[in-house]
Amino acid sequence: MALSGDARTLPVFHTAPHPLRRATARRRLSMHVVNHAHLPHLHVGSELCIPAADRSRGITGFEVWVRTLDAGAQTAALRHDGELVVLALAGGGKLLLDGGPQRFHAPCTLLIPAGHQFRIVNQASTPLQLVWVFTAAPVPWDCAAGS
């Protein structure tokens, strides 16, 4: 073993990588950075929605959307069948979950149970910046109630 300041190096052993390590390395190489400027920017009322990670990018188990609510704006009444986590990055507002308000201010995480009606309201004078992560896309409450 070389001591500090010793110029000798330890021997290097060359072995074939384990098959699992090869697959992991291959997956890491296929990952890439997605510039949000190149993504579709969907305007729904006074809300900007950007699909950051979805099936169009090869993600199948969940989706990630960046959403921005203008000051005083709110989402439609929604419901979803899967897991939904909303990260509030900037701003503040209230989560209306089954009609009851829960106030929040960024940074925080909103955990919304499956099957519940909800709405997010921006009560600040600045845009509310959110990141939505879900396993089943939220649908408008009136569509969900009819199914």
Side-chain angles (χ1 to χ4, degrees), residues 10-34:
L10 296 174
V12 176
F13 297 98
H14 297 282
T15 59
H18 186 275
L20 182 58
R21 287 191 192 120
R22 264 191 302 232
T24 303
R26 202 171 21 251
R27 272 195 302 267
R28 268 185 284 185
L29 292 175
S30 66
M31 301 286 288
H32 58 279
V33 174
V34 178

Side-chain angles (χ1 to χ4, degrees), residues 44-56:
V44 180
S46 56
E47 184 176 14
L48 171 64
C49 304
I50 303 170
D54 60 2
R55 290 181 190 268
S56 71

Side-chain angles (χ1 to χ4, degrees), residues 85-112:
V85 175
V86 179
L87 306 173
L89 303 179
K94 66 182 173 184
L95 169 64
L96 300 176
L97 185 60
D98 293 330
Q102 298 178 41
R103 296 189 189 288
F104 65 88
H105 194 275
C108 69
T109 303
L110 312 177
L111 306 173
I112 302 170

